[in-house]
Each structure stands twice: as C-alpha cells, then as structure tokens.
Amino acid sequence: MKGVLSRWESLCASSRVLRFVDINLRGIGQVMFQDHPLSGLLFFIAIGWGSWAGGVPQVAIGGLVAVVAGTLTAQWLRVDAAGLNAGLYGFNAYLTGIALPTFMASTPQLWVYVVLGGALSVVVMLALVNVFKTWGVSVLTAPFVLITWLLLLGTNAFAGLEGSALPPAGVIVPIDPAAADPLRPVDFLQGLLTSISQVFLKGHGPAALLLLAGLAVSSLPAAVFALVGAVVGLITAHALGAESQLISAGLLGFNPVLTAIALGAVFYRPSFRVVVYTLLATVLSVIVQGAMITAMTPFGIPTLTASFVLVTWLFLLPALKFE
C-alpha cells in the first residue's frame, strides 16, 4: 500500500491534473479526518452507490461539483499550500454539495446554489480559522453547517428554490412514549450501519461498509472508533427512550461517530484515559443531537453535524494532556 501511495505521489508531483484530482479526493476523505486519496475514493464510491440506490444521483453529482468549486476557490484565494494539498478546503464544500440536493428539488437554481455553497464554504472556513486559532481549536464542519443552514433557510424567500425534502417546521412537542419501541437485533444492526453512512447523509448499509473500509486503509483506530461511536450512540439513544425510527435510521448516531473519531483517533492519541474521555463526549453528543432537533424544529431545517461540532469543541477547549 505504501509503495502504491508513493507512486501516486510521484505521479501527482509531475502532473497538475493528477494533483488536482488528489486534492479533491483528500478533501472528500477529510470529511472523516482522513488525509488519504484512497479513503476519499472509497468514500466517493460509497456515496455514489448510496445515491444511485436511493434514486437520487444528483446528490453524488452535487458533492463532486461542490468539492471542485471549493478547491478552485481555495486556489484562487491562494490559501496555504499544505492545507490545500491535504484537502482541508474541500470537505466542507463536499458536505454542502451533498446536503443541498438531499433537501432541495432539482432545479437549475439548485446547481447555482451548489457551486455557490462550495465556494462560500472556503471563505467561511478561512474566516472561522482566523477566529478559532486564538484557542487552538479546529473549525471542523462548522462552515458546512453554517452555510447550509443559511442556504436552506433562504429557500423560503425565493420562488425558484424549493426545499422539497426539508423537515417540516412545527411547534416543539415532547416525544410520544409509544414511539420509543424496543429495538430488535436487525434494527440495531441497521442503526449501526446507517449511523456511519449518515455522516454523508445516506441511510445505506453497503455504503457504510465502504466508508469503514475507507477509514481502515488510512487509520485502523479511526475505523474502530467509528464503530464504537455508532454502538455507544445507539445504546445511549435507546436507553434514553429516543424514537425508534430515528435510531434505526442512524439520525441519532452519525454525530457520535464523528465525535468518537475526532477525539479518539485524531486530536488525542488513543489510550485508556482518552477512550473514557471519548465515550463521555459520545454520550453527550446524542443528548445534544436531541436538543438540536428540538431547537431546529420551528425552523424546519436539519441539524446536520452541529452537535458533533459543539461537543467536540467543548472537549477540545480544555486542552488536556493525556500523555
């Protein structure tokens, strides 16, 4: 694997086209913190497969268009070469590109939105990096969340934009206890896989297996923590009496997956203390996800990865030393 990667690097060094492809693949990989072109390729295939199987190929196309728009914008703005080559200016664009076609009707204006969202994610990332460097904390997927929220809210004001698949806006009501049915083993397995695939807004089990493979080729600990995050998220949500359909659809598990990878395998070195710290954050991310669903209900927009961002910030800001 190392020999193949070295050969790929040599080819990229001699070809601007291959370097551009490499940057975009790494940008897709960075959605789950992987600076690896093969991870990005497997992620891209997974989302393409899930989108095609779900009858929404425009979602995969939107991600590709947006990540290219983001990379071109980053090059035009002359961002730092190291960050650009590592794909750090592509992952928020990619997420924005798959989110907009997921929640909006496919119209000509949608594709203007996709390109705009991919470009703006870079600008917002640069802005937030300048703010958060004071505390030494990564901006994570905050640019994606902020830009996508604003673009989706804007659909209410323009006739050419239709949020056809947005969550219905409504008043906040407590959950009906009848909706918290016991989970069968098959539901648990489904929830485990969809918790991983919902990181990319896909409820597709085979795509989740490809995503795990993409993690494993770059970082085996990241793949393990992704599974741990999904399991802990499912158990926590069920123990607290969450709606069973939300659990099996992975809608309460994808933020715990990202939180577990970030804290357990990226920002801290794995150890017993780090594992306990990560589990605590993972449990909290489920509760915060429930809070975010409640908070977003009146606005009729999805929570996206907001709870992952908030919880991970809270657990990084103490700047603990676990060595």
Side-chain angles (χ1 to χ4, degrees):
M1 180 64 70
K2 289 184 178 180
V4 173
L5 189 58
S6 297
R7 176 60 178 163
W8 172 253
E9 281 292 337
S10 298
L11 291 172
C12 291
S14 61
S15 170
R16 295 181 63 182
V17 173
L18 288 181
R19 175 59 68 191
F20 187 79
V21 171
D22 180 74
I23 290 171
N24 285 288
L25 288 177
R26 291 177 188 271
I28 298 172
Q30 287 286 5
V31 171
M32 298 181 86
F33 301 100
Q34 304 310 306
D35 179 11
H36 198 295
L38 183 54
S39 295
L41 179 60
L42 289 172
F43 292 174
F44 179 72
I45 293 172
I47 302 315
W49 185 5
S51 299
W52 183 266
V56 284
Q58 64 270 23
V59 172
I61 296 171
L64 178 60
V65 170
V67 73
V68 169
T71 299
L72 289 173
T73 301
Q75 290 177 330
W76 178 65
L77 293 174
R78 298 180 182 177
V79 300
D80 63 292
L84 176 67
N85 291 336
L88 295 180
Y89 295 96
F91 67 96
N92 280 291
Y94 186 72
L95 284 172
T96 302
I98 63 177
L100 294 175
T102 296
F103 297 107
M104 295 176 60
S106 186
T107 63
Q109 291 90 336
L110 165 66
W111 297 104
V112 174
Y113 240 33
V114 168
V115 174
L116 185 65
L120 289 176
S121 70
V122 176
V123 177
V124 174
M125 182 170 184
L126 290 169
L128 293 181
V129 165
N130 278 335
V131 173
F132 280 86
K133 67 182 180 182
T134 304
W135 299 284
V137 174
S138 171
V139 301
L140 306 173
T141 55
F144 152 63
V145 173
L146 180 59
I147 285 297
T148 305
W149 275 352
L150 292 175
L151 293 178
L152 291 179
L153 281 171
T155 62
N156 297 306
F158 304 106
L161 301 169
E162 182 184 350
S164 58
L166 286 173
V171 296
I172 299 171
V173 295
I175 183 176
D176 183 352
D181 298 325
L183 286 179
R184 299 171 299 170
V186 65
D187 295 326
F188 190 90
L189 178 60
Q190 179 184 347
L192 177 68
L193 293 175
T194 54
S195 291
I196 296 169
S197 64
Q198 284 288 1
V199 170
F200 290 86
L201 288 82
K202 292 280 116 208
H204 190 253
L209 297 177
L210 273 177
L211 294 176
L212 284 173
L215 285 170
V217 299
S218 176
S219 170
L220 189 56
V224 171
F225 273 101
L227 285 170
V228 170
V231 171
V232 172
L234 286 170
I235 293 174
T236 302
H238 183 59
L240 294 176
E243 184 177 339
S244 300
Q245 289 186 349
L246 291 180
I247 299 175
S248 59
L251 296 178
L252 293 173
F254 66 96
N255 279 289
V257 167
L258 284 172
T259 301
I261 296 172
L263 296 176
V266 177
F267 295 107
Y268 295 114
R269 295 179 61 182
S271 68
F272 176 76
R273 294 173 65 203
V274 167
V275 168
V276 175
Y277 193 68
T278 300
L279 292 177
L280 180 61
T282 304
V283 170
L284 178 61
S285 69
V286 178
I287 299 171
V288 174
Q289 173 69 353
M292 292 301 303
I293 291 174
T294 302
M296 294 296 105
T297 294
F299 301 100
I301 56 174
T303 63
L304 305 176
T305 56
S307 62
F308 149 66
V309 171
L310 179 58
V311 171
T312 304
W313 279 347
L314 292 176
F315 277 71
L316 288 177
L317 283 170
L320 299 173
K321 304 296 183 182
F322 286 106
E323 291 80 3

